[in-house]
Amino acid sequence: MLALGALTLSGVAQPAIGHTFTSDKTDFQLITVAEGLEHPWSLAFLPNGSQLVTEREGRLRLIEDGELQKPPIKGLPELVVSGQGGLLDIILHPDFETNRTLFLSYAHEVSGEGMTTRVARAALDGHTLSDVEVIFEAMPRGNTSRHFAGRMAFDRDGNLYVAVGDRGEMDRAQDTGDDAGGVHRLTTNGDPAPGNPFIDDSTGNDTVYTYGNRNIQGMTTHPATGEIWSHEHGPGGGDEINIIRAGNNYGWPKVTYGIDYSGAIISDKTTMEGITDPLHYWDPSIAPSGMAFYTGDRFPEWKGDLFVGALKMRKLVRLSIENETVKEEEDLLEDLGERIRDVRMGPDGVLWLLTDSANGRVYRLVPLE
């Protein structure tokens, strides 16, 4: 809850230095790093202490010395901004300090063929991207502007995991010969990663790692096990947290804890043989987005906890997890009144947040001094 601070005329609390938030474990402050971003979607930390932020509207921005630089980074790949699509995730190559390579996910359109999720690799040279190369394109394309997913993560072996949504065409998620509705595991060149579950199976595409995923908006690497964890949007309810494991079917739309937005029943089953049950789910939906384990020392009470942003419910969720079981769940920042789009563990030992609006912000969540 918000303990201090005035309200604006709109009634939404505007945090600043000195405003205190409380949780069951500790008190903290929010510090505004940058504002005026148009629907920021993802955040990456550069080795020199600067940050890169994607704007869904098709811009990549640099925050340098705590100041948002006005000119966007030049040289982005061709993309389309439509519905939920635009410029999405950004992730740095594990050897970024030496090769300056990063990866971007985004929506792309071909006239007459529809839209899809793409991933491009590029080198950051000052304020410009160079050597831009498309390394992954989910096929076939679709005619909707929904469920592009686009979250990415690296495992400890340097494989790149890319989430692709079902594109609003739910049955595609159960077809391993269709790139929609699953997670793809790639090398940094875009080739299928060695050991992918369908490489020697003619029924599935070589890059497919999991399927039955509706629309993954959060993905992170577990700090102890190295496994990739994700969460995805359900329909009317049934948001899920899952551990991404080779060849697993996560059920959509055969099983779900949600219903269609119209109220229609999608499935009368919440579990089924051959389906991987979620580690945790929300009903009603919170519309989760962004995901990070807290691994720093500045909040020792939160060490190892998982933090998830929420768009619809406008909050930050803290989950205490033991042996893949949620032992405690706490809602934070409900008084902030903002859609949390991304959650990142910063190299400075604190959590960083992005808010999804036409005047989006970058926040640091810091201990109360």
Side-chain angles (χ1 to χ4, degrees):
M1 63 178 291
L2 183 63
L4 298 173
L7 296 179
T8 65
L9 291 177
S10 65
V12 177
Q14 300 298 313
I17 295 174
H19 291 190
T20 303
F21 294 82
T22 64
S23 82
D24 293 341
K25 297 288 185 70
T26 187
D27 295 338
F28 59 92
Q29 297 174 326
L30 277 185
I31 295 177
T32 301
V33 177
E35 55 188 343
L37 291 152
E38 192 170 4
H39 297 286
W41 212 92
S42 179
L43 176 71
F45 302 97
L46 296 173
N48 66 0
S50 299
Q51 298 84 39
L52 291 171
V53 182
T54 62
E55 292 177 291
R56 194 184 67 208
E57 306 308 304
R59 290 179 292 272
L60 179 60
R61 307 292 296 278
L62 175 67
I63 301 174
E64 200 168 34
D65 298 324
E67 295 289 335
L68 179 64
Q69 304 302 299
K70 290 185 178 181
I73 300 293
K74 297 178 181 179
L76 263 65
E78 178 188 10
L79 58 87
V80 63
V81 179
S82 178
Q84 297 171 3
L87 182 59
L88 304 173
D89 210 359
I90 181 171
I91 190 170
L92 304 186
H93 191 288
D95 297 323
F96 179 85
E97 284 195 78
T98 56
N99 62 24
R100 306 293 292 176
T101 298
L102 56 79
F103 301 83
L104 296 167
S105 65
Y106 54 95
H108 182 264
E109 183 175 27
V110 172
S111 180
E113 297 181 19
M115 291 183 281
T116 192
T117 303
R118 269 187 173 182
V119 174
R121 183 182 62 200
L124 180 64
D125 182 11
H127 289 196
T128 302
L129 297 182
S130 61
D131 301 322
V132 178
E133 180 185 359
V134 177
I135 65 164
F136 175 76
E137 179 175 66
M139 296 299 288
R141 295 171 178 270
N143 294 316
T144 75
S145 59
R146 305 190 301 277
H147 299 184
F148 292 93
R151 286 293 181 194
M152 299 184 289
F154 274 106
D155 66 17
R156 290 175 177 173
D157 295 325
N159 296 312
L160 178 63
Y161 293 67
V162 179
V164 178
D166 71 356
R167 300 304 320 289
E169 300 169 316
M170 64 179 72
D171 291 334
R172 295 180 65 182
Q174 285 297 315
D175 182 358
T176 57
D178 186 324
D179 289 334
V183 176
H184 298 259
R185 190 174 71 146
L186 318 169
T187 69
T188 55
N189 292 324
D191 296 324
N196 277 0
F198 298 102
I199 282 183
D200 298 319
D201 184 343
S202 61
T203 66
N205 291 345
D206 289 351
T207 59
V208 171
Y209 196 70
T210 71
Y211 62 109
N213 302 107
R214 184 173 181 267
N215 190 28
I216 290 174
Q217 295 281 285
M219 190 177 283
T220 191
T221 306
H222 191 284
T225 68
E227 289 189 294
I228 305 300
W229 287 44
S230 74
H231 64 60
E232 62 185 78
H233 288 245
D239 302 335
E240 298 181 0
I241 292 178
N242 292 298
I243 303 175
I244 297 301
R245 289 172 173 154
N248 282 19
N249 180 357
Y250 293 88
W252 176 254
K254 287 186 174 182
V255 301
T256 179
Y257 285 91
I259 60 174
D260 191 78
Y261 299 117
S262 68
I265 300 299
I266 296 169
S267 171
D268 61 357
K269 296 178 176 62
T270 57
T271 189
M272 182 186 295
E273 185 177 354
I275 300 297
T276 302
D277 293 333
L279 182 146
H280 185 69
Y281 71 91
W282 287 276
D283 188 15
S285 173
I286 67 168
S289 188
M291 187 179 195
F293 285 98
Y294 183 77
T295 59
D297 296 321
R298 299 189 67 184
F299 289 101
E301 305 88 350
W302 289 347
K303 195 90 167 185
D305 288 353
L306 182 65
F307 288 81
V308 173
L311 297 167
K312 178 181 177 182
M313 294 300 185
R314 299 174 183 256
K315 62 186 177 182
L316 179 68
V317 180
R318 180 183 66 84
L319 300 165
S320 176
I321 299 172
E322 296 179 14
N323 299 321
E324 300 180 7
T325 300
V326 174
K327 297 294 187 180
E328 180 185 4
E329 180 172 353
E330 181 184 14
D331 293 338
L332 306 173
L333 300 180
E334 291 179 288
D335 291 337
L336 183 64
E338 295 199 56
R339 291 162 51 90
I340 306 298
R341 169 60 76 180
D342 201 9
V343 184
R344 299 284 173 170
M345 180 65 219
D348 54 353
V350 301
L351 293 172
W352 290 59
L353 311 176
L354 297 183
T355 62
D356 178 44
S357 73
N359 180 27
R361 294 180 172 87
V362 181
Y363 290 125
R364 292 175 67 239
L365 192 157
V366 302
L368 184 62
E369 302 294 343

